[in-house]
Amino acid sequence: MKRYKYQLILPVILGMILYNGCAAKAPNAMKNDSEKLTAKVIAVLPVNNKTLDMKAPQLLRLKVLDELYFKGYSRLPLEVIDKKLELIYNSEKKSSAGVLAPDVIRELIGADAAMYCTLTEGKRTSSLFYVPVTVAAHCELRSTQTGEVLWRAQYKTTSRNFDLPGKSLEMKSYESFETVIEEVVNKVLETLPDGPNLKG
């Protein structure tokens, strides 16, 4: 009887360990006084892509823009940002790391803050019966007036899709990719204080 109970409990324990290991969120750094975060308009810059996936950064950026809107920040169209950035993208105003300085963003776009996001992982690993999808990203909000970091956070998660080998399994992995990116964005931005449009 005891052996039977152990056979039931063991999969549950293993499942909990796997779940906790698949989703990891690093501590966020933010001003202690959330009232000091006075940004009203945030420019979401193109994602710094550390992966081989070309579509994931665009999807991540769109999700960040949408989430900022729902958190009470004014929507600044990505097309407007990109059009402004084209003017100096190959100029010397970028840092040695290829990142536009916050004061340049203020000069070009007039935003109060700039959101810098990096996609550090975005991969689908093929296997016989399952395809794990891993996405990891971190974002940093910087004042365009002072250049200081107002807030930052990061998150990583893995989703596993089980099915018989073939097109069905491949399709599941592609469908879950967007869901995983959305989860990462939600978790990253959940610690960002609400914007002025929600504070009234």
Side-chain angles (χ1 to χ4, degrees):
M1 185 70 178
K2 287 184 178 179
R3 186 177 179 183
Y4 177 72
K5 285 183 178 179
Y6 286 133
Q7 288 176 340
L8 287 175
I9 294 171
L10 188 59
V12 174
I13 294 173
L14 286 174
M16 291 173 66
I17 293 171
L18 279 172
Y19 178 80
N20 290 331
C22 290
K25 177 180 169 185
N28 63 80
M30 186 171 54
K31 285 182 171 295
N32 292 329
D33 184 1
S34 63
E35 293 301 319
K36 291 181 181 179
L37 184 57
T38 56
K40 294 180 180 178
V41 180
I42 298 174
V44 181
L45 302 182
V47 172
N48 183 14
N49 186 17
K50 300 291 187 182
T51 75
L52 298 177
D53 196 313
M54 294 296 106
K55 291 184 178 179
Q58 299 172 18
L59 184 58
L60 179 69
R61 191 182 181 202
L62 284 170
K63 296 289 185 185
V64 169
L65 178 69
D66 288 343
E67 188 62 22
L68 285 175
Y69 175 75
F70 290 123
K71 287 187 74 73
Y73 295 92
S74 299
R75 193 189 297 269
L76 188 57
L78 301 182
E79 298 80 13
V80 172
I81 297 172
D82 293 343
K83 191 169 183 180
K84 296 281 188 180
L85 296 184
E86 279 179 9
L87 302 174
I88 60 155
Y89 212 74
N90 295 319
S91 73
E92 297 179 354
K93 293 192 176 182
K94 289 192 294 183
S95 69
S96 58
V99 178
L100 287 170
D103 61 325
V104 176
I105 301 300
R106 185 176 186 85
E107 179 187 331
L108 283 175
I109 303 168
D112 303 311
M115 180 70 78
Y116 297 85
C117 292
T118 300
L119 181 67
T120 54
E121 284 188 66
K123 60 184 179 182
R124 292 178 287 267
T125 306
S126 297
S127 185
L128 187 60
F129 292 106
Y130 75 97
V131 178
V133 176
T134 301
V135 174
H138 64 82
C139 293
E140 183 175 277
L141 188 68
R142 297 177 65 185
S143 166
T144 56
Q145 186 169 6
T146 65
E148 68 177 320
V149 176
L150 302 173
W151 163 93
R152 68 160 64 95
Q154 61 185 14
Y155 191 78
K156 175 180 177 178
T157 189
T158 298
S159 170
R160 289 178 172 82
N161 303 281
F162 295 88
D163 207 330
L164 294 174
K167 291 289 183 182
S168 178
L169 180 59
E170 185 179 348
M171 186 63 68
K172 273 189 178 181
S173 72
Y174 279 101
E175 288 174 353
S176 69
F177 196 71
E178 183 173 351
T179 303
V180 173
I181 287 184
E182 188 169 350
E183 178 189 346
V184 168
V185 170
N186 289 341
K187 290 294 184 181
V188 166
L189 294 182
E190 72 179 4
T191 58
L192 182 71
D194 289 338
N197 296 339
L198 288 185
K199 291 178 181 178

